[in-house]
Amino acid sequence: MVLRTHRALLSRLLPDVEPEDVTVREGQFHLVVIGPDRVVCLPRTEAAAARLPRRAAILRVLARLDLGFHTPEPLMESSADHAGDPPFLVLSRVPGTPLTADAIGDPRVADAVAGQYVGLLTGLARAGADDRVRATLPTPEDRWRRFAVDVRAELFGLMSAGGRRRAERELTALGDLPDLTAAVVHGDLGPENVLWESTDGLPRLSGVIDWDEITLGDPAEDLAAIGAGYGADQLRRVLTLGGWADHETITRVTTIGATFALQQALAAYRDGDEKELADGLAGYR
């Protein structure tokens, strides 16, 4: 459908690319048209469209850092010169493909992947001290308390009584979390956003995409996403290799991970995305 609706625009942004040579993916905030060497992001809502300039600015900062892996680089974005076109952002295509949870059944693969996740998170923590990064990224103060207040105010009316009790337990636990803002946090580090290539039969981290939720915050959020995507055993490997298997870190990881559905629902509610909102609130209705 998106290829037909935006055919004229896509033919300009992806010249000499045939429809059969592209892949279309639907994310929470964007429709993504993936060509051989570039990617076109089309926001799904007006709110997502309004965030495109900030997203491009952040990606330019990331591209200048030595993170040890590829990140998308902005190539073109909608402006007054593109009047009449829907908002868009064209990015370089990051090489590689996602790694499924089944692929880490081999202990050698699981260990190799865990070690590279440690390197990824260490690089993001180091980037959090970079003045260019801190000047560009949001640094939310008292994030989890404010999140809890907003969920109660905006989402509780959409939940069943049992859903509100469940959400209240999860939100109450957030009140004990420290307000950490020293590290860069990807914010959506699920398997679909981490790309790999193969070297000597083992996965090699190639790049990380979809930085819409990037912020300065607690690395436990990204660790929780690893656990959600690959399971408890793989999370345990990463925690152990990274030296993060202490009780305090594990508690933060568990507490934040329990709020992922609420995070999705709140973002969807504010963007007017009924599909994502229904998915996020499925366990609360």
Side-chain angles (χ1 to χ4, degrees), residues 259-271:
T259 69
F260 279 171
L262 291 175
Q263 291 186 47
Q264 174 184 325
L266 184 61
Y269 177 78
R270 290 174 169 175
D271 274 14

Side-chain angles (χ1 to χ4, degrees), residues 6 12 74 88 95 109 141 215 228 235 254 283:
H6 301 294
R12 297 200 308 272
F88 66 83
V109 172
E141 295 182 2
T215 187
L235 173 60
T254 302

Side-chain angles (χ1 to χ4, degrees), residues 11 66 68 89 101 105-106 132 138-139 151 162 171 192 226 241 247 255-256 266 282:
S11 68
D66 183 17
L89 178 61
D106 181 339
R132 296 169 298 175
T139 311
V151 168
L171 297 175
E192 69 279 2
I226 295 171
L241 285 173
H247 176 74
T255 301
I256 293 172
L266 184 61

Side-chain angles (χ1 to χ4, degrees), residues 6-224:
H6 301 294
R7 180 171 55 186
L9 174 65
L10 293 172
S11 68
R12 297 200 308 272
L13 301 181
L14 299 172
D16 304 320
V17 176
E18 299 298 327
E20 60 268 22
D21 295 328
V22 305
T23 302
V24 179
R25 294 180 181 165
E26 183 175 342
Q28 181 171 358
F29 302 112
H30 303 94
L31 292 170
V32 182
V33 182
I34 305 172
D37 59 2
R38 55 175 56 187
V39 173
V40 180
C41 299
L42 301 168
R44 296 179 57 197
T45 65
E46 291 183 5
R51 293 192 295 266
L52 282 183
R54 172 183 169 273
R55 184 185 188 199
I58 288 171
L59 289 174
R60 291 189 182 96
V61 171
L62 289 175
R64 295 196 296 268
L65 302 177
D66 183 17
L67 293 173
F69 52 83
H70 297 284
T71 59
E73 296 186 36
L75 303 176
M76 185 189 310
E77 55 193 295
S78 52
S79 66
D81 295 333
H82 301 94
D85 287 333
F88 66 83
L89 178 61
V90 182
L91 304 173
S92 62
R93 179 173 178 174
V94 174
T97 57
L99 194 66
T100 65
D102 293 341
I104 61 173
D106 181 339
R108 290 177 61 248
V109 172
D111 287 343
V113 169
Q116 291 173 83
Y117 266 112
V118 170
L120 188 165
L121 294 171
T122 301
L124 292 182
R126 185 170 58 248
D130 189 300
D131 289 340
R132 296 169 298 175
V133 174
R134 300 197 69 83
T136 304
L137 298 189
T139 311
E141 295 182 2
D142 207 8
R143 176 187 175 188
W144 298 117
R145 185 196 64 80
R146 291 190 296 104
F147 172 74
V149 169
D150 291 345
V151 168
R152 293 184 180 107
E154 300 177 49
L155 298 182
F156 268 30
L158 306 176
M159 300 178 184
S160 67
R164 286 192 292 273
R165 287 193 295 271
R166 172 188 166 183
E168 189 60 51
R169 290 193 299 270
E170 294 164 351
L171 297 175
T172 298
L174 289 176
D176 295 328
L177 295 184
D179 191 22
L180 304 179
T181 58
V184 172
V185 174
H186 180 277
D188 191 12
L189 203 64
E192 69 279 2
N193 290 329
V194 183
L195 306 183
W196 305 80
E197 296 179 318
S198 180
T199 302
D200 297 328
L202 291 175
R204 178 181 62 81
L205 177 62
S206 176
V208 180
I209 59 174
D210 195 356
W211 294 84
D212 283 2
E213 297 298 298
I214 188 173
T215 187
L216 292 166
D218 187 347
E221 187 169 357
D222 285 341
L223 286 163

